[in-house]
Amino acid sequence: MANEKTRRRLSADDWARAALTAISEGGLPAVAVEPIAARLGATKGSFYWHFANRDALVAAALELWEREHTEAVVEHVEAEPDARAKLRRLFSDVTTGAARAPENRIEVALLATASHPLVAPTVSRITERRIAYVAALYEELGVPPGRARRQALLAFTTWLGYTQLVHATPEVLPGGAEAAAYLGFVLDEVVTPEGLPDGRPGPPPV
């Protein structure tokens, strides 16, 4: 009886997080009710308490990914004092996160299945959300909208390429102190290069 009570304490987020872990390890096909139940020490009955079917679990996992890997990141970055600091904090945080497992594996696995009808709308929406947020930060610095969008795409694709390399060929990337130097280089050359406006108002007219 105590074991059954423990099982019932599992939340929908517990199942969704376990599904994300499964995705990070084996892609979308790894989201299967019985193996995830075994991972959680739960029963299929616990699963059906929260979800109607596997598709509903996948949807919950994608929603959790959006909350924790996009919206929570934006909320954290917004604590910085200005747009330039936000850009540097954002890129620094997500690049550091890309070097950790299972965060990098989740991104790579979801992108690999981005054409799947369950995944495509979420990946498309989140990608646009991320790029639009970065573009808005560049616009806060006084960058014209067209260039702000291009600059945001450059920063985003740089991060995405880094994430793919961390997953596929980490040996080509610098490590240790050289990794920090490389991040500083990218921040200076790609994310907030010299010549970008700083967002501060100019002197008053005379």
Side-chain angles (χ1 to χ4, degrees):
M1 183 65 72
N3 193 32
E4 183 63 26
K5 288 181 179 177
T6 300
R7 288 168 179 163
R8 290 190 181 197
R9 283 200 294 268
L10 287 172
S11 68
D13 271 2
D14 291 326
W15 281 92
R17 186 163 282 107
L20 275 182
T21 301
I23 290 170
S24 76
E25 294 171 351
L28 198 60
V31 180
V33 175
E34 290 189 6
I36 292 175
R39 181 194 294 267
L40 291 171
T43 65
K44 289 176 69 175
S46 172
F47 168 79
Y48 287 110
W49 179 264
H50 296 291
F51 303 103
N53 51 42
R54 175 184 179 271
D55 286 1
L57 175 59
V58 172
L62 293 172
E63 181 183 340
L64 181 66
W65 175 58
E66 183 171 8
R67 288 203 319 265
E68 295 191 346
H69 293 259
T70 298
E71 298 308 327
V73 172
V74 169
E75 182 178 352
H76 174 70
V77 166
E78 281 295 305
E80 293 293 333
D82 56 54
R84 184 175 287 270
K86 289 174 186 177
L87 283 164
R88 295 180 74 86
R89 168 56 60 194
L90 174 63
F91 196 86
S92 176
D93 285 355
V94 299
T95 302
T96 301
R100 294 194 302 263
E103 285 91 338
N104 63 336
R105 295 200 304 264
I106 293 171
E107 295 282 344
V108 171
L110 287 174
L111 288 172
T113 57
S115 61
H116 191 284
L118 285 175
V119 179
T122 300
V123 169
S124 179
R125 183 180 67 254
I126 290 176
T127 300
E128 178 55 35
R129 163 74 166 123
R130 291 171 172 181
I131 294 171
Y133 175 70
V134 174
L137 292 179
Y138 284 121
E139 288 190 47
E140 282 185 39
L141 291 174
V143 178
R147 183 188 170 190
R149 177 79 180 189
R150 291 191 295 272
Q151 194 75 37
L153 282 169
L154 175 61
F156 184 81
T157 52
T158 299
W159 164 76
L160 193 57
Y162 181 87
T163 301
Q164 294 277 5
L165 287 175
V166 166
H167 176 74
T169 54
E171 68 276 6
V172 307
L173 294 169
E178 183 59 28
Y182 173 72
L183 176 59
F185 169 79
V186 174
L187 288 168
D188 290 338
E189 297 295 322
V190 176
V191 181
T192 52
E194 186 176 350
L196 274 184
D198 59 16
R200 294 191 292 266
V206 296

